[in-house]
Amino acid sequence: MCGFIGVIGAPSAAHEIYDGLLAVQHRGQAAAGIITYDGRFHIKKGEGLGRDIFSAANMERLQGSLGVGHVRYPTVGSGGGEDAQPFTVNYPFGIVMAHNGNVANYEDLRGELALNGLRHLYSGCDVEVLLNVFADALARRGREGFSLEAYYGAVSDVYKTVRGAYSVVGYVAGHGLFAFRDPYGIKPIALGRRLSAGGAAYAVASESVVLDTIGYETLPTGSPAEALFIDMDHNVHARQMAPPQHH
């Protein structure tokens, strides 16, 4: 059980993410983290409650209109600071990811990544395996550069490889915010929008109470196994990537 929120298009993504994480603090008290982007990554993660981790000075550092935050309840790993989400990889493109759920074949995938020498992991958290499977697929699919087709293909590869119940939020640096959940649909995703004179801002969260807290209108979400992508121009794209198998 964890909580997450991703925001794109807000004047200060970090402040909205912080307020949203407080609304789902009950879903995880072991650790929390926020990673924002304004041309470079800005990261703050730690053990404990959000109010103790994100000081005024830390919040000032977390610049950008694009970001992801997470509160963690450990189900895999030690529960130490090294397992705090979100996680990031710099190749390809720069990717940040957080999730709510459990990867059932975590140990097998971790062993395969280590055996092939493709990826070196530094935590015991299952989202790091999921992120690296996704990143490896996106690198193969996006050899000519990032595209929606490369993203959708990478999500399809994740569904073929990663078993379990999970919902995911993240972003590709300079390209946009993404979210998807497994075909079983056990773990929810809530999509929200806030309109202002400056345009539309969007948020994706692990539950709709987050959207209510930060003043976003809750929008309809698709079926399990739908992949969502919101680009830097704040256009929303969605595609069904596998048959839903409601459980």
Side-chain angles (χ1 to χ4, degrees):
M1 182 173 71
C2 298
F4 64 67
I5 175 176
V7 171
I8 184 170
S12 173
H15 286 85
E16 295 194 358
I17 290 168
Y18 174 79
D19 289 342
L21 291 181
L22 291 185
V24 288
Q25 185 71 82
H26 62 281
R27 293 189 63 84
Q29 299 87 40
I34 298 175
I35 304 180
T36 60
Y37 181 79
D38 67 350
R40 57 162 289 188
F41 293 126
H42 303 280
I43 303 172
K44 178 58 183 177
K45 301 196 292 183
E47 295 182 74
L49 301 177
R51 67 187 182 195
D52 299 322
I53 296 167
F54 304 115
S55 66
N58 289 328
M59 294 300 294
E60 187 64 27
R61 285 195 306 103
L62 297 170
Q63 297 294 310
S65 64
L66 175 62
V68 168
H70 187 270
V71 291
R72 183 165 193 262
Y73 177 91
T75 54
V76 176
S78 66
E82 70 275 10
D83 290 339
Q85 299 185 42
F87 280 79
T88 181
V89 293
N90 63 4
Y91 177 80
F93 312 117
I95 306 170
V96 169
M97 181 182 287
H99 91 324
N100 171 36
N102 292 92
V103 175
N105 58 340
Y106 163 74
E107 292 293 348
D108 291 340
L109 293 175
R110 182 180 177 89
E112 289 174 16
L113 290 168
L115 181 64
N116 294 332
L118 297 175
R119 303 272 172 173
H120 296 279
L121 308 182
Y122 60 88
S123 81
C125 185
D126 52 352
V127 75
E128 191 182 15
V129 163
L130 202 160
L131 169 59
N132 278 275
V133 170
F134 174 76
D136 187 53
L138 190 58
R140 288 184 281 102
R141 298 274 189 167
R143 289 192 179 96
E144 304 302 318
F146 180 82
S147 66
L148 277 174
E149 292 305 315
Y151 163 67
Y152 289 137
V155 174
S156 178
D157 290 344
V158 168
Y159 288 159
K160 296 172 185 175
T161 305
V162 179
R163 292 188 291 103
Y166 52 86
S167 56
V168 170
V169 68
Y171 61 84
V172 181
H175 295 284
L177 185 77
F178 66 82
F180 57 87
R181 57 180 177 149
D182 71 88
Y184 296 135
I186 296 171
K187 302 296 182 179
I189 282 181
L191 171 65
R193 178 182 62 192
R194 189 183 63 216
L195 300 176
S196 67
Y202 288 89
V204 177
S206 54
E207 53 194 281
S208 60
V209 66
V210 177
L211 306 178
D212 298 336
T213 298
I214 61 175
Y216 280 63
E217 168 197 8
T218 301
L219 301 177
T221 52
S223 301
E226 180 183 81
L228 179 73
F229 194 87
I230 305 169
D231 64 33
M232 298 303 290
D233 294 322
H234 307 164
N235 299 307
V236 180
H237 311 269
R239 182 180 298 180
Q240 192 70 33
M241 300 308 306
Q245 304 173 44
H246 293 276
H247 279 62

